[in-house]
Amino acid sequence: MIDKTVSTVAEAVAGIEDGSTIMIGGFGRAGQPVELIDALIDQGASDLTVVSNNAGNGDLGLAALLARGRVRRMICSFPRQHDSWVFDGLFRAGQIELEVVPQGNLAERIRAAGAGIGAFFTPTGVGTELAAGKEERVIDGRRYVLDYPIKADVALIAAYRGDRWGNLVYRETARNFGPIMAAAATTAVAQVDHVVELGALDPESVVTPGIFVNRVVAVSPRRWVENGEFVGGVDVDGEPLEVAR
Amino acid sequence: MIDKTVSTVAEAVAGIEDGSTIMIGGFGRAGQPVELIDALIDQGASDLTVVSNNAGNGDLGLAALLARGRVRRMICSFPRQHDSWVFDGLFRAGQIELEVVPQGNLAERIRAAGAGIGAFFTPTGVGTELAAGKEERVIDGRRYVLDYPIKADVALIAAYRGDRWGNLVYRETARNFGPIMAAAATTAVAQVDHVVELGALDPESVVTPGIFVNRVVAVSPRRWVENGEFVGGVDVDGEPLEVAR
Amino acid sequence: MTGIGRVELAARIAQDIPEGSYVNLGIGAPTLVANHLPEGLEIILHTENGLLGMGRAPEPGRVDPDLINAGKQPVTALPGAAYFHHADSFGMMRGGHLDICVLGAFQVSSAGDLANWSTGAPGAIPAVGGAMDLAIGAKNVWVMTDLLTRDGSSKLVAECTYPLTGVGCVSRVYTDRAVFDVTDGGFRVRELLGDTTVAELEQLTALTLEERS
Amino acid sequence: MTGIGRVELAARIAQDIPEGSYVNLGIGAPTLVANHLPEGLEIILHTENGLLGMGRAPEPGRVDPDLINAGKQPVTALPGAAYFHHADSFGMMRGGHLDICVLGAFQVSSAGDLANWSTGAPGAIPAVGGAMDLAIGAKNVWVMTDLLTRDGSSKLVAECTYPLTGVGCVSRVYTDRAVFDVTDGGFRVRELLGDTTVAELEQLTALTLEERS
C-alpha cells in the first residue's frame, strides 16, 4: 500500500540537508506552510537557498526561518513588504543574498523545472535591469529574454486536502505556487488541513496529482492569525478563526 | 450581462474564414467536437490548416471535414490509425500537407502560444528526424531543441459543462487538448453537454476559465457511437449510450 | 488650474471599461477603480495570485485568509469565479488574454515606457512582484497617476530616468489633469480634466503634446 | 534454444516493478504487463492522454467513451485517480516524474538508442504520437520485444538503422530470450530466459555481450 502520509511535521521535514534549495509555497500568508517552516526551524538545516514569492511576513513562518540566520540566499519576486522587517534587516546588514525575479518569470521558471523544459523565451522584463545580461532574441517581431528552470531539493507547500497517494486540492488563492513547486522539487512535502480517504477527492478536481508529492501531513487547525490580521476570518470548515496568539 | 452561449452550432462557427488555422480538440474520439466539426462542414470555410492530435477516425467529425477537401494542411502527432482511411487516401494522393510533431511538443507548443512564451527548449525528439533543422543547444549537460508556439484563429473543443461566462469543466480523458487549445486561439468555441447557471461550477474545479472562451453551445446528446464502437457506453449522465446511426 | 481628485479619477477610468472586459487593477490607487465600476455591468476582475471573478472586500467577520488579492488584502469571489495556480495566472497575462490593466507609475515616457517598480534609490531593496508581467501582458495598459510628483516634476517624460518596468507598453495615461493616449508621435491629449488647458500641460510636462484631432 | 512467450515475458516485467511506482505502459505488447501486476501491490499507471491511476478494461455495458487509454481503448479509473490536460500530462513525462515506462521496439542499440516509431519505409505515413516523449521522459525506459524480427535479424544492434525515437534513452531490454541492461559498455546480460545461453545470444545478435558480474 502506498502511504505518503506522515504523522508529524518533524517526520515531514526529516532529512533536509544543509545547503539545500527549498521552495516555500504561498503568496504572503495565503498558502504559506507555516507549520512545515516551523518544523524546518526545529530540524536545523542551514545555508539554505529559499525560493518563495515573498521574503517573510511579520515574525512567523519564513520570517522566523530567516531570523535564525538559516538562509544564505533568497530567490523571490517581492521581498519588500510593510511587514518584511526581518528580511529587510538581514539584507541591509549584508547577511543575505537576493535574486529578484519578475513574478511571472519566477512561476514559469518553476513550472519549466517540473515540466522538463530546458529554457524558454519570455517577454517579461525585456529592456529592464532585471533582464541585464540575459540572452535576448526577437521572435515574430517581439523581444524576448531567455530564462532557465529553477529546481529545488525540497518543496514545502500548503494544501487543503490530501490523500495517501499524495493527491492534493487547494483552497482559493492559497493555491498559488503549490502545484508548480511540488513538481519542481525532488522531494515535495505538503501540509494539509485534512487527510481524506483515497477516492474522496474528485479525480476531475485534483489539482496536484500524487506523482508530484512525497509526504503529506495534516496540520489542522492552521495558525492563521497574528497581530490581529485576518481576525474574524473563517477557517477551512467555515468556522470563525481563532487568534493563534 | 456577459453571455457567451449561442443557441446553435451554426452560430458557434459563424465567421470562420477561408485559410484559417483551426485547432480541433480531442484524442481519437474522446473530446473531439464532432458537432462543431459538422457545423464547420456546413459553414463552408476551406483551405484550412488543422491542428489536432489525430487526423480523423472513421467517416465522422474531422474525417468528414477532410473528405470534403477543406483542409490544406494537418499539424498532428499521430495521423495513421486503423480507421484513418480518409486521411491516408488524401495523403497518398498528395492532396494534403502534413507536419508531424511529437505529441508532447505539440501540446507544449500549443500551451506556449496561450501563455505568451516565445519559444522553448525541449528534450523530446533530439537526435531524430523530427528535430532535423531545429536549433539545438546543450543546457546543463542535456541536449534540447528549440520549438515555437502554435497559435490558431479558432479552436473548436468539446467540454462537459459550461456557463455563460465561458467557464468550462471537462469529463475524464476527454479533457486532453481542450484547455490548451482554448488559450491558444483568437476565438475559442466550446461545445458542451450542458450549459449550467453561472455559479453552478465550483470555482476550485473550473479547468478552463471563461477568459479563454468566446462561444459556448450545448449539444447534448452527443453522437458518440459509430459502427458499434463504444456501444453500451454510458452517457454524461450515466445513461446507456444510444447508437447514433 | 486644478485637476480632479483621485476618487474622481478612479470613476473616470471605470467609465472607459466596457462590459465583458477582463481587467487587472494594480496595487495602490488603481484598486480604487473597482469601487466605481458601473452597477449592473459585468466586468471580470483578475488578480494575479490566482483568481478571475474577484469581488469586493468581505464583510467584517467574513474575512477568509485564503482569499486575498495581489495586494494581500482580503477579497471575495463572485459566482462564476475560477481559481488557478501562478503559472496559469501569469500565462493568462503574458499570453495577452487580459483586456485592460491599470497600473500606477513613477514615470511614463512618450514612447510608452513605464517605470513603476523602483526609484533606483541607493539602498532600496528591489522588489518587482508582478509589475513587469502586467506591463507587457495586457492588451491595453493604462496608467493611473498624478501628473506631477510631490516636488512638482512631471511624471510624463521624454525618457524615463527611473529603472524601467516595461518598454513601449503603455497605451493610455489617466492623470488628475488630463487623459493621454500614447501614440507613435508621443502623448496625445485625449481629454482635459478640471479646468486644465493644453498649454498648461505643455508647460508642466515640458513636452510637446498632440491634441486629439 | 527456446525463449519464453509474450505473456510470460509480460509477467516477468511485472515482477520487476516495485510497489509505488508510476508507470506508463506503451501501446501494443507492453499493455499486457498490466494484467500481471502483483495483486495487492499499488502501482500507479499513467496514460499520456490525461490520467494517473488507470484501471482495467471496463465491464461490457459500462464502456465510457470519454475514458480511454493512449491506445484509444476503453479503460477505467481507480479511486485516487486524477485527470489532467495534455500539456500537464507531457510535462509529467518530460519532467522525469514517471519511474518506468515500457515500450516496444524495432531496434535498440548498444548505446541505448531506440527506434520504435517508423521503419522509414517509402510511402509510409509518419506518425509518432507520444513515443518520443516517453522515450526521453521516464527515469527508467524499458523495452519489451522479441529478440529477433520475423525474418530472424536481431533487434539488438550496434547502431540503429531505422529512424530514431530517442538517443541513449533505454536502460533495460526484456526479450523472449534474455533480459539485458544497457551499460556504458553496451548490453549486459542480466538474466537468461528459457534455456538460452550467452553464446547463443552473441551468435544471434552478432554483438559482444557483457555478463552480469
Side-chain angles (χ1 to χ4, degrees):
Chain A
M1 192 174 97
I2 299 169
D3 189 359
K4 299 183 180 180
T5 61
V6 296
S7 310
T8 65
V9 289
E11 289 173 78
V13 301
I16 296 180
E17 295 182 5
D18 291 354
S20 297
T21 296
I22 314 280
M23 288 179 176
I24 298 184
F27 180 87
R29 195 66 59 81
Q32 191 178 143
V34 175
E35 287 74 11
L36 288 178
I37 299 169
D38 285 349
L40 176 60
I41 290 171
D42 293 341
Q43 188 263 351
S46 65
D47 193 34
L48 302 173
T49 295
V50 169
V51 182
S52 194
N53 189 63
N54 304 108
N57 305 78
D59 295 301
L60 264 186
L62 178 52
L65 183 71
L66 293 170
R68 309 291 171 99
R70 303 268 286 281
V71 179
R72 181 173 58 76
R73 177 176 166 78
M74 279 292 318
I75 301 176
C76 65
S77 88
F78 206 75
R80 188 189 63 230
Q81 299 170 93
H82 73 280
D83 57 354
S84 61
W85 49 78
V86 172
F87 177 83
D88 296 1
L90 289 167
F91 184 80
R92 292 188 196 288
Q95 291 172 350
I96 195 162
E97 299 168 30
L98 172 65
E99 179 181 350
V100 173
V101 182
Q103 198 170 152
N105 288 354
L106 181 67
E108 190 69 9
R109 291 174 67 184
I110 294 168
R111 189 255 175 201
I117 297 299
F120 59 91
F121 284 100
T122 172
T124 301
V126 165
T128 75
E129 63 186 51
L130 294 187
K134 289 184 195 279
E135 179 176 336
E136 188 173 324
R137 188 179 295 202
V138 174
I139 299 169
D140 210 10
R142 189 172 196 193
R143 290 168 69 191
Y144 295 86
V145 292
L146 190 64
D147 255 336
Y148 291 89
I150 302 176
K151 293 177 184 164
D153 299 299
V154 178
L156 305 180
I157 65 172
Y160 176 34
R161 294 175 187 273
D163 65 27
R164 65 179 173 81
W165 281 11
N167 293 307
L168 303 177
V169 296
Y170 300 82
R171 189 162 177 276
E172 302 166 342
T173 59
R175 184 183 305 193
N176 56 64
F177 284 90
I180 53 176
M181 286 183 169
T186 306
T187 301
V189 182
Q191 68 171 57
V192 298
D193 291 335
H194 301 292
V195 170
V196 298
E197 288 300 303
L198 196 71
L201 300 177
D202 176 6
E204 301 286 0
S205 309
V206 167
V207 175
T208 295
I211 191 170
F212 297 122
V213 177
N214 300 85
R215 302 175 193 169
V216 175
V217 62
V219 299
S220 189
R222 289 179 280 174
R223 292 163 48 207
W224 269 119
V225 180
E226 187 200 16
N227 293 334
E229 277 195 35
F230 288 133
V231 170
V234 291
D235 201 340
V236 294
D237 298 310
E239 296 299 316
L241 282 170
E242 293 177 19
V243 180
R245 53 168 167 158
Chain B
M1 192 173 95
I2 299 170
D3 188 359
K4 299 183 180 181
T5 61
V6 296
S7 310
T8 65
V9 288
E11 289 173 78
V13 301
I16 296 179
E17 295 182 4
D18 290 354
S20 297
T21 296
I22 314 279
M23 288 181 176
I24 298 184
F27 180 86
R29 195 67 56 82
Q32 191 178 142
V34 175
E35 287 73 10
L36 288 177
I37 299 168
D38 285 349
L40 176 60
I41 290 170
D42 294 340
Q43 189 264 351
S46 65
D47 192 33
L48 302 173
T49 294
V50 169
V51 183
S52 193
N53 189 63
N54 304 107
N57 306 80
D59 294 300
L60 264 187
L62 177 51
L65 183 71
L66 293 170
R68 311 291 172 98
R70 304 269 286 283
V71 180
R72 181 173 56 78
R73 177 178 165 79
M74 281 291 320
I75 301 174
C76 65
S77 87
F78 206 75
R80 189 188 64 231
Q81 300 170 91
H82 74 280
D83 57 354
S84 62
W85 50 77
V86 173
F87 176 83
D88 298 1
L90 290 167
F91 184 79
R92 293 188 197 288
Q95 292 173 347
I96 195 163
E97 299 168 30
L98 173 64
E99 178 181 352
V100 173
V101 182
Q103 197 171 151
N105 289 354
L106 181 65
E108 189 69 10
R109 291 175 66 184
I110 295 168
R111 189 256 175 200
I117 298 299
F120 59 91
F121 284 100
T122 172
T124 301
V126 165
T128 75
E129 62 186 52
L130 294 187
K134 290 183 194 278
E135 179 176 337
E136 188 174 325
R137 189 179 294 202
V138 175
I139 300 169
D140 210 10
R142 190 173 196 193
R143 291 168 66 191
Y144 295 86
V145 292
L146 190 64
D147 255 336
Y148 292 89
I150 302 176
K151 294 177 184 164
D153 299 299
V154 178
L156 305 180
I157 65 171
Y160 176 35
R161 294 176 187 272
D163 65 26
R164 65 179 173 80
W165 280 11
N167 293 306
L168 303 176
V169 297
Y170 299 83
R171 189 163 175 277
E172 302 167 345
T173 60
R175 185 184 303 194
N176 57 65
F177 284 90
I180 53 177
M181 286 182 169
T186 306
T187 301
V189 182
Q191 66 171 59
V192 298
D193 291 333
H194 301 292
V195 170
V196 298
E197 288 299 305
L198 196 71
L201 300 177
D202 176 6
E204 301 286 0
S205 308
V206 168
V207 174
T208 294
I211 190 171
F212 298 121
V213 177
N214 302 85
R215 302 176 193 168
V216 175
V217 62
V219 298
S220 190
R222 290 180 279 173
R223 292 163 47 206
W224 268 121
V225 179
E226 186 199 20
N227 294 334
E229 276 194 37
F230 289 132
V231 170
V234 291
D235 201 341
V236 294
D237 298 310
E239 295 299 316
L241 281 171
E242 294 177 17
V243 180
R245 52 167 166 161
Chain C
M1 79 181 192
T2 54
I4 63 174
R6 180 157 292 191
V7 169
E8 276 177 282
L9 184 57
R12 177 66 198 76
I13 294 172
Q15 277 176 28
D16 286 351
I17 299 177
E19 177 159 42
S21 299
Y22 293 90
V23 179
N24 186 300
L25 300 174
I27 296 176
T31 303
L32 293 174
V33 174
N35 300 335
H36 300 278
L37 295 174
E39 287 289 330
L41 292 194
E42 290 187 331
I43 288 164
I44 299 179
L45 297 181
H46 172 260
T47 181
E48 61 262 37
N49 53 314
L51 168 61
L52 269 171
M54 180 171 65
R56 301 201 168 196
E59 299 295 313
R62 298 303 298 172
V63 169
D64 181 335
D66 287 337
L67 184 45
I68 61 176
N69 66 12
K72 305 191 176 75
Q73 300 162 315
V75 295
T76 54
L78 300 177
Y83 297 107
F84 30 83
H85 63 54
H86 251 76
D88 281 350
S89 183
F90 281 78
M92 211 174 268
M93 293 157 65
R94 196 191 305 111
H97 302 283
L98 293 175
D99 295 300
I100 297 165
C101 79
V102 185
L103 298 174
F106 297 146
Q107 291 178 325
V108 181
S109 83
S110 51
D113 296 349
L114 173 66
N116 79 348
W117 76 284
S118 165
T119 59
I125 297 176
V128 67
M132 290 184 180
D133 303 276
L134 283 166
I136 61 89
K139 287 175 198 153
N140 298 283
V141 175
W142 294 353
V143 162
M144 174 184 183
T145 184
D146 290 334
L147 179 66
L148 304 180
T149 63
R150 285 184 196 175
D151 67 6
S153 54
S154 172
K155 290 189 167 194
L156 269 55
V157 294
E159 288 199 35
C160 295
T161 54
Y162 289 145
L164 291 187
T165 306
V167 175
C169 55
V170 176
S171 55
R172 191 178 293 170
V173 185
Y174 290 86
T175 76
D176 53 333
R177 311 292 177 98
V179 183
F180 303 86
D181 283 323
V182 180
T183 72
D184 290 344
F187 293 108
R188 175 190 292 157
V189 179
R190 182 183 176 85
E191 181 179 338
L192 295 165
L193 301 177
D195 59 4
T196 310
T197 67
V198 172
E200 286 168 330
L201 291 172
E202 291 198 325
Q203 188 191 355
L204 290 169
T205 61
L207 294 170
T208 305
L209 300 171
E210 285 190 75
E211 288 187 66
R212 196 173 188 181
S213 54
Chain D
M1 81 183 194
T2 54
I4 63 174
R6 180 157 291 190
V7 169
E8 276 177 281
L9 184 58
R12 177 66 198 77
I13 293 171
Q15 279 176 26
D16 286 351
I17 299 177
E19 178 160 39
S21 298
Y22 293 89
V23 179
N24 185 299
L25 300 173
I27 296 174
T31 303
L32 294 174
V33 175
N35 300 334
H36 300 278
L37 294 174
E39 288 288 332
L41 292 193
E42 289 186 334
I43 288 163
I44 299 179
L45 297 181
H46 172 259
T47 181
E48 61 262 35
N49 53 313
L51 168 60
L52 269 173
M54 180 172 64
R56 302 201 168 195
E59 298 296 314
R62 299 304 297 172
V63 168
D64 182 337
D66 287 337
L67 183 45
I68 61 176
N69 66 13
K72 306 192 175 75
Q73 300 161 314
V75 294
T76 54
L78 301 176
Y83 297 106
F84 29 84
H85 63 56
H86 252 74
D88 281 350
S89 184
F90 281 78
M92 211 174 268
M93 293 158 66
R94 196 190 306 110
H97 302 283
L98 292 176
D99 296 299
I100 296 165
C101 80
V102 185
L103 299 173
F106 297 146
Q107 291 178 325
V108 182
S109 83
S110 51
D113 296 349
L114 173 67
N116 79 347
W117 76 284
S118 165
T119 59
I125 298 177
V128 68
M132 291 184 179
D133 303 275
L134 283 165
I136 62 91
K139 288 176 197 151
N140 298 283
V141 174
W142 294 354
V143 162
M144 174 184 183
T145 184
D146 290 334
L147 180 65
L148 303 180
T149 64
R150 285 184 195 173
D151 67 5
S153 54
S154 172
K155 290 188 166 193
L156 269 54
V157 294
E159 288 199 33
C160 295
T161 55
Y162 288 146
L164 292 187
T165 307
V167 175
C169 56
V170 176
S171 55
R172 190 178 292 170
V173 185
Y174 290 86
T175 75
D176 53 334
R177 312 292 178 97
V179 183
F180 303 86
D181 284 322
V182 180
T183 72
D184 289 344
F187 292 110
R188 176 191 292 159
V189 179
R190 180 185 177 86
E191 181 179 338
L192 295 165
L193 300 176
D195 60 2
T196 310
T197 67
V198 172
E200 287 168 329
L201 291 173
E202 291 197 325
Q203 189 192 356
L204 290 169
T205 62
L207 295 170
T208 305
L209 301 170
E210 283 191 76
E211 288 187 66
R212 196 174 188 178
S213 55

